[in-house]
Each structure stands twice: as C-alpha cells, then as structure tokens.
Amino acid sequence: MFSSVVVKEPRVVVRKFLARPQHEGLGAIVRRSIGRFELRYFDPFLVLDEFSVTAPAGFPDHPHRGFETVTYMLQGAVTHEDFEGHKGTIKAGDLQWMTAGRGIVHSEMPAEQGTQKGLQLWINLSSKHKMIEPRYQEISSKDIAEACKDGIKVRVIAGEALGVKSPVYTRTPTMYLDFTLKPGAHLQQPIPESWNSFVYVLEGEGIFGGKKSSSPVVSAHHLLLLGSSGDGLEVWNKSVSKPLRFILVGGEPLGEPLAQLGPFVMNTQEEIDQTVEDFENCVHGFEKAKHWRSEAAIRLDF
C-alpha cells in the first residue's frame, strides 16, 4: 500500500533556465543546465548535461577527481572503460553511479549506431570523501525501483518515492527521481528540509511548484531551481493527450569551499594545483594513467 502523501507547503520555482545545445567532448552535443556561466554550482550539484552523441563522436579518455558522475541513459547505449580495467555498456534505462574519488581516467563512447541520449549529473563530494578509492554502482533498467499510482510512474534512481526505495548508496545524501505523469495527473513529492532541489523537464509540458491557476506552463529542456522553503514539490500535467516526463533531483548542501578546474573538483586552489601535478606525473591515484589508453582511443587513433 502507498502512504498518503500531502505536501503542505510546495516549494516554488525561483529560477528557470532553457538548456541550449553546445559542443562538448569530441563532437558530442550537450544541453548544460548546471555548470554554465549563469549557474556555476548548485550545492552539491556541479553539472547537469542532457547529452546527444553519434559515433564517432563521444567523450574519449579524460580524468576526474573529487566528485561523482551519475549517467542515466535515455536512448541507445554508451560503452564505458577506465584505467582500472572496468568496462561495460550502459543501455537505455540503465544507471551508472561512479565515485571518482581520488582519481579515475575513463572514456564514454557510443556503443550503437544512431544517436545515443542520456543525462549526466555531477555530484560534489565532501572534503573527507574526495580522496576515497573509486567505486561503481551499476543498475540495469529492469532492476531500477519503479512504482505507479494515479497516472504517475516513477523510476527511483536514488532516494524514495511512492513507497519504493532505491538501493543506491549516496555519500552525499541525494534523491534522483524520474517521473512520468499521464494527462491530467497531479503529483505531490516530499523533499527533505534544507536540501537544494531542481527539476529538469525531458518531454511534455507541466505546471510546477505553485498555484495551479497562476503558474506558467514549462516545456522540455528547462531547468527549474526550487526555493529552499517548503516540504515538497507539486506538479500538474494539464495536457489532454501528452505525457509529462521530468527528473526531480535534490541533495544535502555540503557548505564547503569549491575549487574547480574542469574535471578536477577540490576545496582549495592548492589542492587543484596538486591534482594537476598528480595527473601529469601519474601519481596519487593516477598511476595507471601512464600506460593506459582506452580501446576506443586505440581503435579511432586519438
């Protein structure tokens, strides 16, 4: 049985961005909503990309340190491989939650013909976790927790919704919910107090976080930052024929200083300088980068 959810004070939308296409990696197209010049950081979230990539384009060999990447495939498939020998294919509906920690060098390249689409979220790690050993949590589409109720379907990537919980462990406490609302459906979803939260619309149109009569309709590729006051999100799909699909993501702010240089995220400039030195000298977590190239890099000769 589902418990009755009542959001007494819905969070309101305080900022709205349209994520426009831009080039990233090797010929890939991304719609970046967090990590752009208007919104460099939304603690603890560093980047949100909706990516579209067609071979031979992709994201060839590159490093990370100090945070986590969450890849959620929407269409097609991407092959991932790293310098530790970890390799696999992330297919439509699959999830990869990668903790880069002290250091990873990896590649993410199309695994199929045609266009591959997905979302990648970067989540910051606290200072005490930035130099932990890398790890992966990988869940196939069929194993992602799902629930349906009153015209609402949710896939629970992290956290809990409609009475079901995700098995994913989040070092930085995080919720990540993929909702689809049928025409006419109405959602109330609790959000933990003090957490930062946002919505990213994938398809359809909806009314978010305010009085049904006065709030504007929001369409695909828009990021909505939710205010900090309130106990949850309220959403309506007023369409008579089209579903509304969006992700709701929330996280506990770290409240720590941020220093970032591309794929390196630390707390101070001195730590960034040390990370660059570690990477260039292949030490302190980057030892295996010295002699490693991905199979994709070798095959495509880059």
Side-chain angles (χ1 to χ4, degrees), residues 19-188:
R20 302 181 187 278
Q22 66 184 60
H23 289 278
E24 189 76 12
L26 181 69
I29 303 294
V30 304
R31 292 178 179 268
R32 179 161 296 171
S33 48
I34 299 176
R36 54 197 262 172
F37 68 92
E38 306 102 317
L39 186 61
R40 289 293 187 192
Y41 184 47
F42 187 50
D43 191 6
F45 305 110
L46 297 152
V47 167
L48 177 66
D49 283 344
E50 179 185 3
F51 63 85
S52 177
V53 57
T54 304
F59 305 97
D61 306 6
H62 59 279
H64 294 293
R65 174 182 276 182
F67 62 101
E68 300 183 297
T69 68
V70 182
T71 304
Y72 182 42
M73 291 300 298
L74 303 174
Q75 172 184 309
V78 166
T79 294
H80 167 274
E81 52 181 315
D82 73 19
F83 68 176
E84 293 283 354
H86 186 94
K87 182 179 179 181
T89 300
I90 314 167
K91 300 178 180 178
D94 291 354
L95 169 73
Q96 182 196 74
W97 197 293
M98 183 186 82
T99 303
R102 67 199 301 257
I104 278 283
V105 178
H106 72 159
S107 73
E108 301 153 295
M109 301 295 289
E112 299 177 356
Q113 296 299 311
T115 301
Q116 332 300 316
K117 295 183 178 181
L119 299 171
Q120 188 167 92
L121 176 69
W122 292 13
I123 305 173
N124 201 4
L125 289 169
S126 66
S127 55
K128 65 183 178 183
H129 291 141
K130 285 190 176 296
M131 294 296 285
I132 62 174
E133 291 296 321
R135 68 179 296 228
Y136 291 89
Q137 298 175 86
E138 294 172 316
I139 303 179
S140 64
S141 182
K142 65 180 178 60
D143 294 325
I144 289 179
E146 291 188 1
C148 296
K149 180 187 181 184
D150 298 336
I152 300 167
K153 175 185 174 182
V154 64
R155 308 189 82 224
V156 184
I157 308 304
E160 180 178 2
L162 298 185
V164 297
K165 293 183 179 181
S166 167
V168 169
Y169 171 68
T170 59
R171 287 189 180 276
T172 300
T174 305
M175 62 186 295
Y176 188 148
L177 308 173
D178 173 7
F179 282 107
T180 302
L181 274 60
K182 291 181 178 179
H186 170 222
L187 168 72
Q188 291 187 323

Side-chain angles (χ1 to χ4, degrees), residues 190-204:
I191 300 170
E193 186 180 356
S194 82
W195 284 23
N196 284 333
S197 58
F198 66 86
V199 165
Y200 186 77
V201 182
L202 294 171
E203 58 182 89

